[in-house]
Amino acid sequence: MSDLTKYIQLIKSGEVVAFPTETVYGLGADAWNPSAIQKVFEVKGRPSDNPLIVHISNSKQVADFALEIPDSATKLMETFWPGPLSLVLKKKPEVLDAVTAGLDTVAIRMPDHPLALDFISQTGPLVAPSANTSGKPSPTKATHVQQDFGKDFPVIDGEATKIGLESTVVDLTQPIPAILRPGSISRKQIEEDLGTEVEESFFHHTEKPRSPGQKYSHYKPNAGVRWLKENEQPENPSSLYLLISERESGSNIINYNEDLNKLAAELYDRFRQADHESFKEVVLERFEDYNSEIASALLNRINKSIL
Ligand code: AMP
Ligand code: MG
């Protein structure tokens, strides 16, 4: 296991450090230090109206940020934490505006990764957006972080992330809970746990979305991204094909054999590979959900990269 001492010191002195979680690598900064949070926005080139998720290592820390903890939150925390589920709750007045982009709510999660939990338990709560340049595919390996921020950038190396897509974001501040961003914990799982209906609020590009991040383009490689057309054969050498159904593989044809979890885990790495190897486009075969919890999140990220 890596020695975290120097990274903990960096956080304590107001610097930013990238670290692995089970979803993607996060760019961590002390959630109570305004100038450290300012650095997060600068390093990423992130629009200042896009709020950050607070990452904690202990459920008790929720009470430092949330004004109230509804029963629904307690339930979801018990079932899914540590894990890829961010809860949007009414914020305490002392939570920094830079964290919430001036909203009266705050998003919080406890990541399911031993290094992340060890790190945060020694630094205290961290804001941690994905550790990529804004608009680029999120990093799922330490090398991705260094591609974006330089090879000397401080990053705790925890190997490739398991899930590969960002957390599910669920808003618990309204009478009906709403999923603002799909992730590997599905609507069905949340509904079953709460025993109530849950809305999805991520399809509509309304002028004022409930999650500010929804209005920004995301997850894009420089190469174009599109769906494989019906009856189209994967035969263009300047395209990188990500296929679902059983077919031949090749140097530019990767076959996922209906394993959507594997495609999700590798998607951003493939996007980055396409740019690294100068492919003109990434062509994805359409898929059904195959009863996979991650199907909705995968479709959401692919559609956003096509937009
Ligand atoms: P990232 O940190 O890059 O994974 O992005 C965080 C996502 O969480 C963005 O889409 C934000 O808009 C969303 N988010 C963070 N805080 C809130 C909040 N208080 N209310 C709604 N959405 C939020
Ligand atoms: Mg991001």
Side-chain angles (χ1 to χ4, degrees):
M1 197 160 265
S2 9
D3 179 10
L4 298 178
T5 316
K6 79 169 179 199
Y7 300 111
I8 293 162
Q9 278 314 319
L10 281 170
I11 293 288
K12 288 189 171 159
S13 60
E15 296 301 322
V16 295
V17 172
F19 65 97
T21 76
E22 79 282 31
T23 59
V24 301
Y25 274 71
L27 182 61
D30 180 350
W32 296 110
N33 181 334
S35 70
I37 293 168
Q38 182 58 32
K39 282 183 193 155
V40 167
F41 284 95
E42 281 165 16
V43 168
K44 280 183 63 76
R46 185 178 176 104
S48 59
D49 66 346
N50 195 358
L52 305 170
I53 296 172
V54 174
H55 287 59
I56 58 174
S57 58
N58 178 328
S59 298
K60 292 199 186 91
Q61 292 163 325
V62 173
D64 297 338
F65 296 88
L67 196 57
E68 52 199 55
I69 304 173
D71 291 345
S72 55
T74 307
K75 230 171 169 186
L76 293 174
M77 280 155 51
E78 277 172 8
T79 308
F80 296 110
W81 278 8
L85 181 67
S86 299
L87 306 179
V88 173
L89 302 171
K90 294 212 172 83
K91 77 166 188 110
K92 281 194 155 168
E94 55 267 38
V95 179
L96 297 172
D97 273 344
V99 173
T100 64
L103 298 174
D104 58 5
T105 57
V106 60
I108 310 173
R109 91 170 185 106
M110 191 197 298
D112 184 16
H113 191 293
L115 271 177
L117 289 173
D118 188 11
F119 187 48
I120 299 167
S121 71
Q122 298 186 70
T123 57
L126 301 176
V127 295
S130 51
N132 54 288
T133 304
S134 240
K136 287 286 160 207
S138 298
T140 57
K141 295 176 175 171
T143 49
H144 295 164
V145 177
Q146 290 172 331
Q147 282 168 8
D148 282 14
F149 300 152
K151 69 174 178 29
D152 294 328
F153 194 85
V155 46
I156 299 171
D157 191 346
E159 301 178 347
T161 59
K162 216 168 49 199
I163 295 173
L165 301 182
E166 303 79 356
S167 61
T168 305
V169 178
V170 59
D171 181 355
L172 299 176
T173 65
Q174 306 294 324
I176 301 176
I179 296 176
L180 305 184
R181 177 174 74 184
S184 66
I185 293 177
S186 67
R187 174 189 193 170
K188 189 166 128 246
Q189 285 174 291
I190 296 171
E191 286 183 332
E192 277 173 10
D193 191 61
L194 293 178
T196 58
E197 202 188 317
V198 171
E199 288 176 354
E200 285 182 336
S201 176
F202 51 84
F203 294 114
H204 314 292
H205 292 268
T206 50
E207 219 164 278
K208 198 167 186 305
R210 281 167 72 176
S211 180
Q214 287 181 338
K215 67 176 185 281
Y216 295 109
S217 145
H218 267 89
Y219 324 118
K220 266 187 193 308
N222 294 324
V225 180
R226 67 171 176 87
W227 295 109
L228 187 74
K229 298 185 188 103
E230 230 178 301
N231 300 321
E232 179 185 351
Q233 293 307 310
E235 50 197 15
N236 186 341
S238 56
S239 301
L240 179 63
Y241 295 95
L242 306 181
L243 303 183
I244 298 295
S245 59
E246 214 176 308
R247 278 196 249 196
E248 83 278 30
S249 298
S251 60
N252 67 328
I253 305 175
I254 296 107
N255 200 324
Y256 287 94
N257 292 324
E258 301 188 1
D259 185 347
L260 298 189
N261 288 317
K262 184 154 196 270
L263 175 58
E266 292 188 6
L267 183 72
Y268 295 144
D269 190 39
R270 294 296 178 192
F271 281 178
R272 283 174 183 265
Q273 177 193 351
D275 287 346
H276 204 65
E277 296 176 14
S278 304
F279 284 104
K280 285 215 178 68
E281 55 175 11
V282 179
V283 183
L284 284 125
E285 188 174 8
R286 287 185 190 273
F287 51 83
E288 296 163 32
D289 72 8
Y290 311 114
N291 288 321
S292 163
E293 304 297 346
I294 208 157
S296 165
L298 192 52
L299 192 62
N300 170 268
R301 303 307 190 276
I302 293 168
N303 280 333
K304 282 202 159 210
S305 67
I306 290 172
L307 281 177

